[in-house]
Amino acid sequence: MKTDELISLLTEDAPVRVRLDRALGLALGAGVIAALGVLLATVGLRPDLAQAAETIRVMFKIGFTLALALCAGLLLFRVGRPGVAPGGRVRLLAIPLALLVAAVLLELAVLPPARWVECLEGLHASFCLFFIPTVSLAPLAAILWALRASAPADPGLAGAAAGLAAGAIGATVYALHCPDDSPLFLATWYALAILIVTAAGYVLGRRLLRW
Amino acid sequence: MTQADREAQWAEWMRRAMAGDSLAYRRFLAAVTPHLRAVALRRCRSFGASESDVEDVVQEVLIAVHLKRGTWDPARPIGPWLSTIVRNKLIDSLRRRGREMTTPIDDVMETLEAEEATDPGDRLDIEALLERLKEPQRDIVRSISLGGAGVRETAERLHMSEGAVRVALHRALKTLARLYRSETL
């Protein structure tokens, strides 16, 4: 086949079928709904959510996971776009991170040292480590599917961004159930669970997002 | 024509192409190809790759540009987008052909067409990959590229709807890109 003939071939396929932004928006929406569905169908909301949400620790827990999900979600719209530097959106991730560090320091300041270990261990650490990655599966699959239309310079990093966003969505959803409210718990078990999903995203991205 | 004019012209063609204007798309591809060829030729030379590889690389890059055009935001300039895609794909392609890239690749937008770079004719890589397509994809690709038929004629001959031919063509191009990736050429 000559290059001119290839051009004729490509010309017949001119209209664009998949717009990256639209696919990502759909994937994020579907992922959130699916994650919420899994939560409601299994462990459900925390029974005292309405009162608990008024306490500062629960407010922070939900606020932090939501902020992380938003920042990571915004980053996704940049990772697979050639010629667009994601730098600013990456730096945005420093906001939730700084908030978490501040919350941990505050918690250590207000909590007597004798209670540190108890708050860090919480009631359901291993369930948290199991459940957040589990509810993150659907968002991760949806986001990776959408990103297949993208053209990332580094497929692994794009996959990691997908994992971070999916993990943060899963964490936000789990926060609506979880009875462990200390920032110490959040910075340990939630963070670890989100990192697991991020690492899975990296591995999957290297395989699925090559182009 | 200055580089800025050229970029504006390419962006306009691509905008219309994305909306389905195939004539604008042909113009875009035809205008971009000599630049791709010049960049690829220079790269192959400086890495001691055979110049017979140049056109294969150009074709692989063209298919990548085609399949990823949905990642271009029409509100942004087209130059950085195109240059980044071409750079990534060129590195990929030459690496697979056993050439390690150590220096940055020239910017497509800044590359003037090189006189000596011409289309040398049929390429073997894509021919070999075409053989691995399933029917009716292979038939459709051959009919449109080699036979010069349009989608409508091809659809009539194969007793398929035009929509089905378009879908099959798009899938065939995606498959070709995947085959390029998985082959050691």
Side-chain angles (χ1 to χ4, degrees):
Chain A
M1 191 190 292
K2 296 184 178 66
T3 300
D4 285 348
E5 292 164 344
L6 176 65
I7 289 178
S8 301
L9 192 66
L10 301 181
T11 303
E12 292 296 337
D13 189 37
V16 170
R17 288 182 176 74
V18 183
R19 303 254 176 172
L20 183 56
D21 283 355
R22 207 175 302 162
L24 270 174
L26 273 175
L28 285 170
V32 169
I33 290 170
L36 273 174
V38 170
L39 180 87
L40 295 176
T42 54
V43 295
L45 297 176
R46 143 185 204 163
D48 61 343
L49 184 63
Q51 302 105 304
E54 288 168 17
T55 65
I56 183 91
R57 284 191 177 84
V58 176
M59 240 188 267
F60 177 77
K61 181 169 65 172
I62 297 175
F64 164 76
T65 50
L66 199 59
L68 186 63
L70 279 174
C71 293
L74 283 174
L75 175 61
L76 286 179
F77 286 83
R78 289 289 171 85
V79 288
R81 277 195 183 279
V84 182
R89 301 272 170 107
V90 173
R91 284 192 288 276
L92 214 56
L93 293 172
I95 297 173
L97 208 64
L99 285 174
L100 184 63
V101 170
V104 166
L105 292 176
L106 261 174
E107 180 79 335
L108 292 177
V110 300
L111 220 56
R115 290 201 58 209
W116 287 0
V117 172
E118 171 201 336
C119 282
L120 186 143
E121 285 177 349
L123 297 168
H124 301 296
S126 52
F127 184 71
C128 170
L129 275 188
F130 156 76
F131 197 74
I132 289 180
T134 304
V135 272
S136 303
L137 281 179
L140 181 60
I143 293 166
L144 286 173
W145 167 81
L147 281 182
R148 291 187 66 185
S150 75
D154 185 331
L157 288 184
L164 183 64
I169 289 171
T172 310
V173 166
Y174 178 61
L176 301 175
H177 167 83
C178 164
D180 293 302
D181 300 331
S182 169
L184 300 182
F185 188 89
L186 197 60
T188 312
W189 306 108
Y190 274 64
L192 193 55
I194 294 170
L195 278 179
I196 290 171
V197 185
T198 307
Y202 178 81
V203 172
L204 288 169
R206 285 181 59 133
R207 292 183 57 94
L208 301 175
L209 301 181
R210 288 175 54 223
W211 55 280
Chain B
M1 195 189 266
T2 67
Q3 192 179 314
D5 291 342
R6 192 164 74 217
E7 193 167 338
Q9 175 70 78
W10 288 7
E12 178 53 28
W13 280 334
M14 186 56 130
R15 251 177 238 119
R16 281 161 40 191
M18 286 167 83
D21 180 344
S22 54
L23 190 62
Y25 195 37
R26 177 182 288 280
R27 287 192 171 133
F28 171 82
L29 292 171
V32 167
T33 300
H35 295 265
L36 291 183
R37 198 174 279 136
V39 177
L41 181 68
R42 205 173 312 153
R43 279 305 110 180
C44 284
R45 273 188 190 149
S46 61
F47 288 92
S50 161
E51 284 186 24
S52 64
D53 276 350
V54 170
E55 207 61 19
D56 290 313
V57 173
V58 167
Q59 294 190 353
E60 190 182 349
V61 172
L62 273 175
I63 292 178
V65 167
H66 172 72
L67 290 175
K68 294 304 180 184
R69 66 206 186 287
T71 63
W72 177 55
D73 176 355
R76 289 173 180 273
I78 201 164
W81 172 80
L82 187 64
S83 296
T84 309
I85 287 210
V86 169
R87 192 178 311 128
N88 288 341
K89 206 62 215 175
L90 217 51
I91 290 171
D92 230 34
S93 179
L94 287 169
R95 189 176 284 154
R96 222 169 326 104
R97 287 160 212 269
R99 310 288 158 189
E100 247 350 280
M101 309 292 296
T102 46
T103 53
I105 290 182
D106 322 277
D107 193 304
V108 198
M109 291 310 301
E110 289 165 7
T111 301
L112 299 170
E113 301 171 31
E115 262 175 74
E116 70 249 77
T118 49
D119 186 342
D122 285 324
R123 298 316 310 158
L124 299 177
D125 283 6
I126 197 162
E127 290 298 326
L129 297 183
L130 276 182
E131 286 306 314
R132 298 179 51 191
L133 289 181
K134 293 194 182 75
E135 297 296 355
Q137 290 185 0
R138 183 171 44 190
D139 197 349
I140 289 169
V141 166
R142 287 203 181 285
S143 157
I144 294 174
S145 62
L146 310 183
V151 167
R152 185 176 305 163
E153 286 169 72
T154 308
E156 274 168 19
R157 187 169 60 76
L158 295 175
H159 306 291
M160 291 169 73
S161 71
E162 283 185 40
V165 169
R166 287 185 197 284
V167 169
L169 170 59
H170 186 68
R171 293 221 177 108
L173 292 169
K174 280 170 104 166
T175 309
L176 282 177
R178 199 178 63 235
L179 291 174
Y180 268 117
R181 278 200 298 275
S182 59
E183 290 292 289
T184 309
L185 295 163

